[in-house]
Each structure stands twice: as structure tokens, then as C-alpha cells.
Amino acid sequence: MPSAESGSTSLPCFDKSIWLLSKRRMEIWIPITIAAAFLQNLRSALQKKLRSSLSTWGATAARFVYAAPLALALLGGLLLTTGAKAPPLNLTFLLSGMAGGLAQILATGMLIHLFSHKNFTVATAFTKTEPIQTALFGIVLLGDHVSLAVALAILISLVGVILISIPADAEGRRNFLDRNALIGIAAGGLFGLSAVAYRGASLSLADGSVFLRATITLAFVTSFQAVAILAFLRLREPGETLRLLASWRSAAWVGLVGMLGSLAWFTAFTLQNAALVRALGQVEVFFMIGASLFVFRERVKAREIVGVLLVAAGIVGLVLWSA
């Protein structure tokens, strides 16, 4: 009987699916994306706690202001220890990095705003329309391709996310698609735009390893974001910068976790289509449910469990069918 490696069609369908899943798991972008999703969820939880002592934009700024020095130090250490040379920056890199950076700042601010109006699971779930929007941005801006099977897997996950995010009470269901829901969807679109922009920036660099290009992109973007949001705070909330600095014990953790999560995202974007990366990032829903249960002591309903199973099915399909 021919081996699995020969690609024989005589391999039973179920066994072939298991073999394909095992093969896909060996692709490095998959564990990197799962790590990024975990770190993103942890950073969101830390920012929600930080919101009690800072304004919406102060808590948003913590992610970038405290991440930028760490990203620059990481880049310097990488260049020093490996002897590699940083590739020259180009106009596409600069424009894509700045566009993605601004989109991410706005999306993060919107998400933190939602934390004040909906529970952690619902607030985050509304942004999970992001993979669909990312796919559209990728097709239009980068010429990326998404197969019908992958699109189906993304839609299955999206249905699961919607089930998770529907409020349990009647009044909540009546107001489900309110202004805050639209803000969440808009945030998802901006996160999707930033993902595609970061992929475009990293791919525009002519030389260097995947990790070096991702680190350069991270260092540039976070530095730009830190400068931009500090300037914004100075104009809009002059005293908030001092409160942000005074909250360094909590805010520094947001910066560290955010920097590590962004590094993982940027590396995955350099390796793979941003829509596939963000779709696999739906695994964050599992971490999100865990945060609701064990950190914020929020109840999880049976319907939400069904939603989690659909998200899981979509992720399995994505891993099996992604090219």
C-alpha cells in the first residue's frame, strides 16, 4: 500500500484528513499565531484592569508607550548578536507601517471603550468579524487569495463567535446590535486593515530573515504609535501622560505582553496570508472564555459552549484547507 507521503488517493478519507492536519501543524505560522492570540487576550485583560485607573486613551497608550522601548531593544540585540544588517526602509514600508499603526491605535481605543459597556466576552467578540474584513482588505490591497473552503471555515467560526456574543437576557438581545456593536465591528475592520498593512510593510523589505523583518516592522510601528498617541494625549488629555507614567507597575506589563504578542503577529503575517493568520487567531475565543470565567467571574452559557465548538470546527477546517 502506498505511503501517506506519496499522496496516494487510496488513503482513507478520515486517515488522510488526520495526516493533513498533522502536516499543517508542522507549519511554523500556526503555533506562532496561537501564541499571538493568547498574548493578545492576556493584554486585553490587563488593559481592562488598567481602565480603572486611566482613561480610555490612557489605557490605549500603555500598550504602545511601554512596548516601543522594548521593541527597539529587541531589534538592537538581534542585530548585535547575529551580525545581520537591517535592510533599507522604503516608502511602501513607511506608509504601510504608519497606516497600520494608526488603524491599530483607533481599534484598540474602540475595544477598550467597549469594555465599559459590555462584558469582556461580548466586547471582544464583536471585533471577531475581523477575519472576513481582513480577507477583503488583503484581496484588494495585496492581491491575496482565499479559497472557498477557507472562506467557509472562516464563516463557521464567525457563526460561533456570534453565538458566544448574544446576550442572555431579553433586554440585552433587543439592544444587541446597538451603537456599541457597530463600534466593535468597526474596530474589527481597523484591526483587519492594520494586519494587512503590517504584512505589506514586512514583505516590502528586500532582505533579511522572517524574524528580522518582523522585528524591524515591530520596532518602527510601535515607535511611531508611541509618538503619535503621546502627542494626542498632550492635546486632548494633558494630565493623562503623567497618570500613565505613574501607573508604570501595571502599564509596563501591558507593554511587555503587547510587544510579545505583536512580534508573534508580525512574524505570522510575514509567513502567511493575513486573513488566514487572523482566522486562526479566532482560537483567542477559548482564552477569552477562560478570562471571563476565571478572571472576571462572568458566567458562560450553554449557547456559548456551542459557539466555542463552532469556532473550533472552523479552526480545524482552516488548518486542513489552508494552502
Side-chain angles (χ1 to χ4, degrees), residues 26-84:
M26 297 304 291
E27 295 184 8
I28 190 64
W29 70 273
I30 294 175
I32 290 174
T33 300
I34 293 173
F38 172 78
L39 290 167
Q40 176 173 294
N41 187 258
L42 178 58
R43 187 257 306 151
S44 293
L46 291 171
Q47 279 183 301
K48 181 176 181 179
K49 286 181 174 291
L50 194 60
R51 180 65 181 83
S52 62
S53 58
L54 296 173
S55 70
T56 294
W57 291 110
T60 301
R63 171 181 182 178
F64 309 113
V65 171
Y66 286 92
L70 297 175
L72 289 170
L74 176 63
L75 175 58
L78 181 63
L79 294 174
L80 184 64
T81 56
T82 63

Side-chain angles (χ1 to χ4, degrees), residues 16-18 20-22 24 315-322:
K16 187 174 182 180
S17 296
I18 296 299
L20 284 171
L21 180 57
S22 177
R24 293 300 185 194
I315 288 172
V316 171
L318 177 73
V319 175
L320 283 172
W321 298 324
S322 63

Side-chain angles (χ1 to χ4, degrees), residues 43-44 46-68 100-116 183 187 190-191 198 221-222 224-233 236-237 240-241 243-245 247 250-256 258-259 262:
R43 187 257 306 151
S44 293
L46 291 171
Q47 279 183 301
K48 181 176 181 179
K49 286 181 174 291
L50 194 60
R51 180 65 181 83
S52 62
S53 58
L54 296 173
S55 70
T56 294
W57 291 110
T60 301
R63 171 181 182 178
F64 309 113
V65 171
Y66 286 92
L102 289 175
Q104 189 179 33
I105 288 174
L106 290 173
T108 303
M110 290 177 177
L111 179 60
I112 293 175
H113 167 77
L114 289 177
F115 290 158
S116 302
I183 290 174
L190 288 169
F191 277 130
Y198 293 153
V221 168
T222 53
F224 167 75
Q225 288 172 318
V227 171
I229 199 162
L230 284 175
F232 174 80
L233 285 178
R236 177 165 175 159
E237 303 175 17
E240 193 65 14
T241 300
R243 286 189 287 273
L244 175 62
L245 296 176
S247 303
S250 301
W253 284 108
V254 173
L256 175 61
M259 187 274 290
S262 293

Side-chain angles (χ1 to χ4, degrees), residues 128 131 157-158 161 278-286 311 315:
K128 295 307 173 185
S157 289
L158 182 59
V161 170
R278 283 306 200 189
L280 180 58
Q282 298 279 35
V283 71
E284 183 193 358
V285 167
F286 302 122
V311 171
I315 288 172

Side-chain angles (χ1 to χ4, degrees), residues 98-152:
M98 289 189 290
L102 289 175
Q104 189 179 33
I105 288 174
L106 290 173
T108 303
M110 290 177 177
L111 179 60
I112 293 175
H113 167 77
L114 289 177
F115 290 158
S116 302
H117 296 273
K118 296 180 181 289
N119 73 32
F120 185 71
T121 299
V122 173
T124 308
F126 275 119
T127 69
K128 295 307 173 185
T129 56
E130 177 189 350
I132 298 291
Q133 300 186 71
T134 302
L136 294 175
F137 283 127
I139 291 169
V140 172
L141 298 177
L142 299 180
D144 286 337
H145 172 73
V146 176
S147 69
L148 181 61
V150 167
L152 178 61

